[in-house]
Amino acid sequence: MYLTRDEEDILGGSKGESAQKAMELIVALGKVYGADGLVDITSAHLSGASYKTIGDGGLKYLEDVSKDAKVAVKATLNPLGMDRDRWREMKISDHFAQKQLRIIEFYGKMGVRTTCSCTPYLIDNIPSFGDHVAWAESSALSFVNSYIGARTNREGGPGALAAAIIGKTANYGLHSDENRRPTMVIDADIGSTLFDHSLLGQAVGRIIGGGIPYYRNIRPDIESLKSMSAAMAAAGSVAMFHVEGITPEASLHDIKDLERVHIGKKELEDARLSLNTADDVQLIAFGCPHLTVREITEMAAFLKDKKKRREDVDIWFCTSSDARNKCPDQVRILERFGPVLADTCMVVAPIEANYQRTGTNSAKAGNYLPTLCSQKVICSDFSKLMEMVL
Ligand code: F3S
């Protein structure tokens, strides 16, 4: 693997111990995956922000790295294990909150933007077409590969942080044209709702694993694209997809010899059933990935004249601070039903301490709530979930 003189120097320790270790990690990854060299990145997005997911080991690691490391490019951070201001409403313990606040402090010390959303591409980290970036957070990296045409592999937390510190990543996988070709054509015959698209991602992720689907016959909006990205990455390990007529690289590829798969109502229903394991809920949580202003506005319009009847069910709306601040009137309506929580989510928060059965309209959350939060799940669309408590 070719390294420039500067890169060799960093590997030798010229920019301090943390940069040296970061370079060692990126070079090791490059060697494993057959990279020919390193490539400059314009941004990074880091996972590993919740105390629940990184624990004391991760906290100590961040404390050590942040002593002498600074990020060299724009770097944003994934959701936290709690809302920074409203964690008591989430029944988070003092112990958890103190540790979580220290994690934010260490990332901030390194120059990472602590906006803490899984939709940074709608806020303060918006790559351009063709940019090489190093993003963790499977839903976000799939979105920027597919909708924007930026280039990133499916980075892990430590790899993305190392890339942010040296401003480079190893040049392999989805950084190269030949690995961005579709591997299967999906002829979709589905409805137009957000939940239909989330289930489409679930069905396709289960079939295609780590392949690259090429969708025909759908016209997803931003919200549906983010839900599909999340579901495909959770049900399979999809890091990129094409949608005919929408994603920028779709028209570059010849698809005539690819395998074709039809996904219709039956496949969507099978996908939905595969995620449903509960018959009642204690918590209903929306916003995986984080709710956009448009979703908040639509939810508020639906709930405007309604009343919550069941006090034994909590409701969370998870979004970014940015989106929450942009629509205060709509947020006020949602707050009659439950807290609009910023910069956290139902999966990376320690909900298992207080709940065993959770409702979600996200196929991604439907995959992870059982495994990461020990929940039984009802996965259904927004209006059906709300009807359980109205
Ligand atoms: Fe985002 Fe949490 Fe879902 S990080 S994609 S809301 S699991």
Side-chain angles (χ1 to χ4, degrees), residues 90-120:
M90 299 171 68
K91 304 174 192 160
I92 299 282
S93 68
D94 284 358
H95 172 260
F96 186 99
Q98 294 322 314
K99 301 268 188 178
Q100 182 64 78
L101 293 171
R102 291 189 71 207
I103 290 171
I104 304 169
E105 184 192 320
F106 295 140
Y107 276 117
K109 207 170 146 199
M110 288 187 275
V112 176
R113 297 180 185 199
T114 52
T115 28
C116 303
S117 175
C118 50
T119 57

Side-chain angles (χ1 to χ4, degrees), residues 335-347:
E335 290 277 351
R336 296 198 336 249
F337 296 82
V340 179
L341 301 168
D343 311 336
T344 183
C345 85
M346 69 298 279
V347 171

Side-chain angles (χ1 to χ4, degrees), residues 78-79 118 137 139 230 287-290 344-348 364 368:
N78 231 20
C118 50
E137 173 43 46
S139 69
C288 173
H290 276 168
T344 183
C345 85
M346 69 298 279
V347 171
V348 298
K364 174 173 177 177
Y368 287 151

Side-chain angles (χ1 to χ4, degrees), residues 9-171:
D9 287 348
I10 295 171
L11 200 54
S14 67
K15 291 205 175 156
E17 197 185 333
S18 291
Q20 182 181 28
K21 285 199 174 128
M23 183 61 92
E24 281 170 5
L25 178 57
I26 296 297
V27 169
L29 285 169
K31 284 183 178 163
V32 168
Y33 291 107
D36 55 0
L38 305 186
V39 61
D40 289 343
I41 57 168
T42 58
S43 80
H45 179 70
L46 315 180
S47 59
S50 167
Y51 176 58
K52 168 173 152 174
T53 55
I54 70 169
D56 286 323
L59 182 59
K60 176 77 174 64
Y61 171 75
L62 289 172
E63 183 172 16
D64 291 345
V65 181
S66 66
K67 281 185 184 135
D68 74 334
K70 287 266 182 288
V71 293
V73 293
K74 182 191 296 175
T76 43
L77 190 59
N78 231 20
L80 310 164
M82 62 184 207
D83 183 308
R84 269 168 276 211
D85 302 316
R86 301 178 66 176
W87 49 273
R88 286 193 176 81
E89 289 172 64
M90 299 171 68
K91 304 174 192 160
I92 299 282
S93 68
D94 284 358
H95 172 260
F96 186 99
Q98 294 322 314
K99 301 268 188 178
Q100 182 64 78
L101 293 171
R102 291 189 71 207
I103 290 171
I104 304 169
E105 184 192 320
F106 295 140
Y107 276 117
K109 207 170 146 199
M110 288 187 275
V112 176
R113 297 180 185 199
T114 52
T115 28
C116 303
S117 175
C118 50
T119 57
Y121 48 80
L122 299 175
I123 308 169
D124 58 348
N125 193 350
I126 309 171
S128 298
F129 179 83
D131 280 1
H132 293 275
V133 299
W135 282 37
E137 173 43 46
S138 57
S139 69
L141 68 90
S142 179
F143 186 97
V144 300
N145 268 326
S146 310
Y147 184 66
I148 294 178
R151 297 179 170 220
T152 178
N153 286 315
R154 192 170 161 138
E155 300 283 356
L161 176 57
I165 290 169
I166 61 170
K168 294 168 189 281
T169 194
N171 190 25

Side-chain angles (χ1 to χ4, degrees), residues 151-197:
R151 297 179 170 220
T152 178
N153 286 315
R154 192 170 161 138
E155 300 283 356
L161 176 57
I165 290 169
I166 61 170
K168 294 168 189 281
T169 194
N171 190 25
Y172 68 93
L174 293 172
H175 291 284
S176 311
D177 288 343
E178 66 268 23
N179 297 320
R180 297 173 71 83
R181 293 192 197 114
T183 59
M184 183 186 282
V185 174
I186 307 293
D187 285 316
D189 176 17
I190 65 162
S192 59
T193 69
L194 182 86
F195 190 54
D196 288 327
H197 286 86

